[in-house]
């Protein structure tokens, strides 16, 4: 289209200001990655409660603590990425509700607050003033926290969709990718965390979630890779960074292999051989690879010149 | 009242007077610009010509920067200007990511977002924006789009090739161009080769993007 007219016009920018570099870099990648694990673990704990509550014994508190830590890593990087971090309180005192950033910050704060409450209740089991049945209280609250984890996972897709300058990010695909990132990394973290506390059958169940999440996320990325350019010329220009000898082509494929393709193969092998080690390896790869995948997808639209 | 801008590119001669006037008026720090004139050369030697395009915030009716700002630092004022309150800004760069025109920057001194405000402070005192005053050929036309007798409205009535940047984005800019081609308005219509600038060899500044 218009880009093809350059052959005829030989149009070249001869004087302009330097363009700003990447604005949302690896701090934001850390933010998305840590949040995926944090909310993903809550989803998995809820599934475990529904599927096999007996195996939750000894896993309630550790799982929630790991989720809580990841949520705090997410909040820390969100804060560190601000150019005026000490003004963070403005979000609570001057909230602008059309912004997914505002809605997300409020929801994430409530989410972390509820998680803290659940952890405190479990850690002070014997002296808990709030309830006589801490475990029952925990399980009840887990339902509401799981419900809240859905929009907490999704809101980053809303921010990406509101960043309209970055044509690649669309709410529909990004929201599915956010949920899949949570189920992928959550199931992987659960397999690693569960260790001997989980039966082989339950581990295989989480392995299946991991494998299916990887498969679906991979299909969506490949769909964007192949068909994304049909949406607009800007998307063609953005995707050129991960095609051919594009700047992020290698990193893109490393991410796809490590996060999705290898874990899928390993999960299939683990099901046949009933090997926990293969499951563990698939889990580690999925968690590491997810960071790479998210980073590439975050950075490439920012390479496009907007003016 | 709905204030708007129109640049007649037939008149613009790329003197950059507006750019300098804006810098001085708004004390825009080094390495940042609220308004700049982009040069694009077209054709192959000796059949070449140079085009000039002043680029600034479009004060969109449906502004993605305003929508994404979590603290309403970016806000509309009654005369339609999209203004910014730098005391309120938390520097999340959401607006930088949302503006489809790259019109917002993070001020390296205040570490807050900033952009063209159509010189809202001057307008409040019934003065024209600094760039309008500085232009020697009156290529910048500024006024009330809701008043059919204003200069800008009459200019729009009289010209058939009135355009905005990236209309497909649905932002409804209040900034128009007359005499523009794709080369002027669409960044994909020209190459941006390394060392493109006449005066230096910098294509990207690491400003703002401090965490790659
Ligand atoms: S041009 Fe950009 S900064 Fe200006 S109002 Fe529109 S979206 Fe906001
Ligand atoms: S950088 Fe400032 S003005 Fe821009 S969206 Fe964030 S808080 Fe609002």
């Amino acid at each position: 289209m218009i880009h093809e007219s350059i052959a005829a016009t030989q149009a070249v920018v001869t004087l302009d200001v330097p363009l700003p570099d990447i604005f949302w870099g690896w701090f934001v990648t850390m933010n998305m990655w840590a949040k995926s694990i944090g909310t993903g673990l809550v989803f998995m704990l809820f599934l475990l409660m529904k599927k096999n509550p007996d195996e939750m014994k000894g896993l309630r508190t550790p799982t929630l603590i790991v989720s809580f830590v990841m949520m705090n890593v997410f909040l820390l990087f969100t804060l560190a990425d601000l150019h005026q971090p000490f003004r963070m309180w403005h979000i609570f005192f001057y909230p602008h509700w059309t912004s997914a950033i505002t809605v997300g910050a409020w929801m994430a704060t409530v989410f972390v607050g509820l998680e803290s409450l659940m952890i405190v209740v479990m850690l002070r089991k014997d002296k808990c003033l709030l309830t006589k049945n801490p475990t029952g209280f925990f399980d009840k609250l887990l339902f509401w926290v799981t419900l809240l984890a859905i929009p907490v996972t999704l809101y980053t897709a809303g921010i990406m969709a509101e960043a309209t300058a970055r044509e690649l990010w669309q709410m529909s695909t990004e929201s599915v990718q956010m949920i899949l990132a949570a189920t992928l990394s959550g199931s992987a973290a659960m397999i690693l965390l569960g260790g001997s506390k989980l039966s082989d059958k339950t581990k295989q169940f989480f392995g299946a979630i991991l494998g299916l999440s990887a498969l679906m996320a991979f299909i969506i990325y490949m769909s964007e890779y192949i068909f994304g350019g049909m949406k607009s010329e800007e998307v063609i220009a953005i995707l050129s960074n991960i095609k051919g000898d594009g700047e992020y082509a290698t990193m893109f494929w490393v991410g796809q292999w490590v996060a999705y393709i290898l874990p899928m193969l390993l999960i299939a092998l683990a099901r046949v051989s009933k090997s926990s080690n293969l499951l563990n390896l698939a889990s580690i790869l999925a968690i590491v690879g997810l960071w790479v995948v998210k980073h590439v997808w975050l950075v490439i639209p920012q390479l496009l010149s907007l003016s | 009242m709905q204030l708007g801008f129109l640049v007649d590119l037939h008149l613009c001669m790329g003197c950059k007077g507006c750019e300098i006037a804006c810098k001085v008026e708004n004390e825009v720090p080094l390495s940042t610009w609220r308004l700049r004139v982009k040069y694009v050369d077209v054709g192959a030697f000796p059949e070449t010509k140079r085009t000039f395009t002043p680029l600034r915030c479009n004060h969109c009716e449906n502004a993605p920067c305003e929508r994404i700002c979590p603290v309403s630092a970016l806000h509309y004022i009654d005369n339609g200007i999209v203004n910014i309150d730098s005391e309120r800004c938390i520097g999340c760069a959401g607006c930088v990511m949302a503006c489809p025109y790259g019109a917002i920057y993070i001020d390296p001194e205040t570490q807050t977002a900033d952009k063209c405000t159509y010189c809202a402070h001057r307008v409040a005192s019934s003065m024209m924006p600094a760039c309008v005053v500085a232009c020697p050929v009156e290529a910048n036309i500024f006024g009330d789009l809701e008043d059919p007798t204003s200069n800008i409205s009459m200019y729009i009535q009289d010209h058939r090739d009135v355009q905005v940047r990236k209309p497909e984005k649905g932002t409804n800019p209040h900034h128009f161009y007359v005499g523009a081609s794709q080369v002027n308005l669409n960044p994909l219509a020209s190459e941006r080769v390394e060392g493109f600038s006449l005066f230096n060899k910098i294509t990207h500044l690491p400003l703002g993007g401090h965490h790659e």
Side-chain angles (χ1 to χ4, degrees):
Chain A
M1 294 205 301
I2 197 61
H3 192 255
E4 274 52 59
S5 70
I6 293 176
T9 60
Q10 297 287 308
V12 58
V13 178
T14 43
L15 181 59
D16 194 10
V17 299
L19 299 169
D21 220 335
I22 306 294
F23 266 88
W24 282 351
W26 70 270
F27 274 36
V28 177
T29 312
M30 279 302 291
N31 155 327
M32 292 193 284
W33 177 79
K35 181 159 68 87
S36 298
I37 302 174
T39 56
L41 273 172
V42 167
F43 290 141
M44 295 308 130
L45 196 60
F46 180 75
L47 279 182
L48 187 61
M49 181 171 81
K50 290 288 150 201
K51 198 176 152 50
N52 202 347
D54 293 344
E55 289 188 36
M56 276 181 90
K57 209 178 272 170
L59 273 180
R60 283 185 179 85
T61 318
T63 307
L64 219 64
I65 288 177
V66 175
S67 165
F68 177 78
V69 168
M70 293 317 283
M71 290 306 289
N72 278 285
V73 170
F74 145 70
L75 289 176
L76 186 74
F77 276 91
T78 308
L79 194 68
D81 196 55
L82 299 181
H83 289 77
Q84 288 285 356
F86 295 114
R87 292 188 188 170
M88 179 66 183
W89 59 272
H90 286 191
I91 286 202
F92 301 103
F93 284 83
Y94 309 111
H96 186 214
W97 296 108
T98 62
S99 170
I101 302 175
T102 310
V103 177
W106 279 72
M107 287 190 308
T109 307
V110 174
F111 182 82
V112 172
L114 288 174
E115 281 199 327
S116 327
L117 180 66
M118 290 164 79
I119 292 170
V120 170
V121 164
M122 290 306 276
L123 290 180
R124 295 183 59 87
K125 246 182 190 169
D126 306 331
K127 296 180 226 144
C128 185
L129 302 175
L130 215 60
T131 169
K132 288 199 179 84
N133 176 10
T135 309
F137 178 81
F138 181 100
D139 290 355
K140 256 191 209 128
L141 216 50
L142 182 60
F143 170 77
W144 296 107
V145 170
T146 306
L147 267 191
L148 186 58
I150 298 170
V152 169
T153 307
L154 289 179
Y155 89 84
T156 312
I159 298 176
M160 293 169 93
E162 284 192 337
T164 52
R166 322 293 159 173
E167 190 104 345
L168 182 70
W169 304 332
Q170 306 280 331
M171 184 66 189
S172 41
T173 40
E174 291 310 318
S175 50
V176 177
Q177 285 290 29
M178 289 294 161
I179 290 286
L180 291 175
T183 51
L184 177 103
S185 58
S187 54
M190 199 67 187
I191 290 169
L192 296 172
L193 201 68
S196 56
K197 291 188 189 108
L198 292 178
S199 66
D200 287 346
K201 208 170 148 218
T202 307
K203 275 196 189 172
Q204 290 293 350
F205 168 69
F206 285 126
I209 295 179
L210 199 168
L212 285 173
S213 305
L215 176 66
M216 287 189 281
F218 180 67
I219 289 172
I220 296 176
Y221 277 120
M222 285 305 106
S223 309
E224 288 284 344
Y225 187 86
I226 298 164
F227 299 103
M230 294 178 189
K231 282 188 288 204
S232 80
E233 209 174 355
E234 280 188 7
V235 176
I236 297 175
I238 292 168
L239 291 177
S240 69
N241 292 299
I242 51 170
K243 291 186 175 179
D245 55 0
E247 198 181 334
Y248 283 83
T250 310
M251 201 170 173
F252 174 78
W253 283 111
V254 166
Q256 298 296 315
W257 273 91
V258 177
Y260 304 137
I261 303 172
L262 289 176
M264 276 191 277
L265 294 174
L266 289 170
I267 297 276
L269 278 179
R271 285 187 88 80
V272 177
S273 65
K274 307 216 178 324
S275 157
S276 289
N277 288 341
L278 286 179
L279 270 184
N280 290 345
L281 182 61
S283 304
I284 293 169
L285 289 177
I287 290 174
V288 173
L290 183 67
W291 194 98
V292 181
V293 167
K294 287 278 173 203
H295 187 65
V296 172
W297 215 245
L298 176 75
V299 167
I300 52 170
Q302 299 181 60
L303 303 174
L304 187 73
S305 161
L306 297 174
S307 59
Chain B
M1 179 181 273
Q2 176 56 68
L3 293 172
F5 241 103
L6 183 147
V7 183
D8 188 340
L9 297 180
H10 294 305
L11 298 175
C12 178
M13 55 183 186
C15 74
K16 290 178 171 276
C18 53
E19 198 174 306
I20 306 297
C22 171
K23 273 259 183 192
V24 174
E25 174 69 30
N26 297 298
E27 295 178 354
V28 182
L30 276 178
S31 81
T32 49
W33 292 264
R34 290 186 179 197
L35 157 68
R36 93 277 186 161
V37 183
K38 179 167 110 167
Y39 291 10
V40 181
D41 288 6
V42 179
F45 181 82
E47 294 299 321
T48 55
K49 66 171 188 270
R50 178 160 290 168
T51 68
F52 312 109
T53 320
L55 300 171
R56 53 167 87 72
C57 165
N58 298 284
H59 295 265
C60 309
E61 186 214 357
N62 180 22
C65 61
E66 189 271 345
R67 191 185 312 132
I68 203 174
C69 180
V71 294
S72 300
L74 282 152
H75 57 278
Y76 294 103
I77 50 181
D78 288 345
N79 54 18
I81 289 176
V82 179
N83 208 357
I84 181 152
D85 177 353
S86 56
E87 293 296 313
R88 180 76 69 89
C89 171
I90 60 171
C92 67
C95 53
V96 179
M97 299 294 286
C99 171
Y101 310 98
I104 304 192
Y105 58 91
I106 298 288
D107 184 315
E109 287 169 11
T110 62
Q111 290 296 315
T112 57
D114 218 335
K115 69 174 192 70
C116 159
T117 61
Y118 279 176
C119 280
H121 59 292
R122 288 176 62 95
V123 172
S125 316
S126 303
M127 289 191 284
M128 280 285 174
C131 54
V132 176
V133 179
C135 182
V137 291
E138 296 187 9
N140 288 298
I141 295 139
F142 181 72
D144 183 5
L145 290 163
E146 287 178 354
D147 172 6
T149 61
S150 67
N151 271 357
I152 188 167
S153 297
M154 308 241 293
Y155 220 91
I156 292 173
Q157 289 162 27
D158 290 347
H159 290 80
R160 293 200 302 178
D161 62 336
V162 179
Q163 295 187 67
V164 295
R165 292 162 73 190
K166 304 185 185 176
E168 72 282 2
K169 297 281 180 190
T171 53
N172 308 344
H174 288 129
H175 188 294
F176 305 91
Y177 292 90
V178 162
S181 67
Q182 285 289 321
V183 162
N184 298 98
L185 304 185
N186 188 338
L188 293 174
S190 54
E191 294 281 18
R192 202 176 263 270
V193 290
E194 190 60 42
F196 61 81
S197 171
L198 286 177
F199 302 134
N200 59 47
K201 291 206 176 299
I202 308 169
T203 46
H204 286 85
L205 271 184
L207 77 109
H210 53 308
H211 308 308
E212 190 188 3

